[in-house]
Amino acid sequence: MPACRTRRLLGALLLAATCASTLAAADPGLETGLTHALQLKKGTTARVGTSGKAIQAYMREGYVGKRPDQRFDYTDYYLLKKPASLMGHALVLIEEEYITQYIGCCVSPGVGVTLKVQGSTQKLQAFARAQRCTLSDPVDIGQLLGEVAIKTRLPKGHYASLSCRERDAEREEP
């Protein structure tokens, strides 16, 4: 194999390994805070953590912007600016639904995430059941972003969304 081709191959492998280790090395405290915002307090429909605090931690570390990429109805949408993971999948989008001013009806406070699935979704499915969240799998990421007027292109792949809002926790268990 020619030397320049070998160097390119080694460079590509090194870049792939660096990206994978960066994804894995993202601050575990960030993932824990976001996971707590998705988890239910035992015996209630309230969440363990708060979405606002979890998102502020991502802001401080530069994973999302200081302002949402879009605000639509009662929901702020934050696209990830650098690699982070959640439950073994690539975190792509964080949504926070809340009310500061009444503009109509149907607010359901809580948080949602969209992930680029890496491998099996069994753990996500189990988490959604245990935490009374709604898992949408698969999700057309282009359509999802287009519905809220976010103009960006993400790589093709398998995406799933996890919604852990008040209405998700209050729905009757199957």
Side-chain angles (χ1 to χ4, degrees):
M1 184 180 289
C4 65
R5 191 169 168 202
T6 302
R7 275 184 291 212
R8 277 196 309 260
L9 180 59
L10 287 174
L13 290 172
L14 180 61
L15 178 62
T18 302
C19 289
S21 67
T22 300
L23 184 60
D27 183 351
L30 291 175
E31 185 170 347
T32 300
L34 187 53
T35 301
H36 284 164
L38 299 165
Q39 289 176 316
L40 282 177
K41 289 181 184 175
K42 281 236 187 272
T44 72
T45 57
R47 300 291 168 184
V48 172
T50 60
S51 54
K53 287 182 181 178
I55 292 168
Q56 287 170 1
Y58 279 86
M59 283 178 190
R60 276 191 306 277
E61 299 301 320
Y63 285 89
V64 298
K66 299 285 184 195
R67 301 179 58 83
D69 292 278
Q70 183 60 280
R71 174 117 171 113
F72 191 80
D73 290 337
Y74 293 110
T75 306
D76 288 345
Y77 295 86
Y78 297 89
L79 282 167
L80 273 281
K81 294 179 168 201
K82 58 185 186 179
S85 64
L86 185 69
M87 296 183 231
H89 304 282
L91 182 59
V92 175
L93 179 73
I94 303 172
E95 307 169 19
E96 181 184 29
E97 189 169 343
Y98 62 95
I99 185 169
T100 54
Q101 180 181 358
Y102 186 73
I103 59 171
C105 74
C106 312
V107 66
S108 182
V111 68
V113 295
T114 300
L115 308 163
K116 187 167 193 266
V117 175
Q118 298 170 333
S120 172
T121 60
Q122 286 182 342
K123 287 182 182 180
L124 276 176
Q125 292 169 13
F127 182 90
R129 274 191 305 277
Q131 304 307 322
R132 309 223 16 221
C133 298
T134 301
L135 179 65
S136 300
D137 180 27
V139 168
D140 181 337
I141 191 69
Q143 180 181 353
L144 174 76
L145 296 175
E147 287 173 359
V148 294
I150 294 177
K151 292 178 171 62
T152 192
R153 293 181 60 113
L154 293 173
K156 289 187 180 197
H158 177 186
Y159 292 87
S161 290
L162 186 64
S163 174
C164 299
R165 293 171 168 83
E166 196 173 87
R167 85 172 62 85
D168 299 306
E170 291 174 346
R171 68 182 156 74
E172 290 187 31
E173 292 185 57

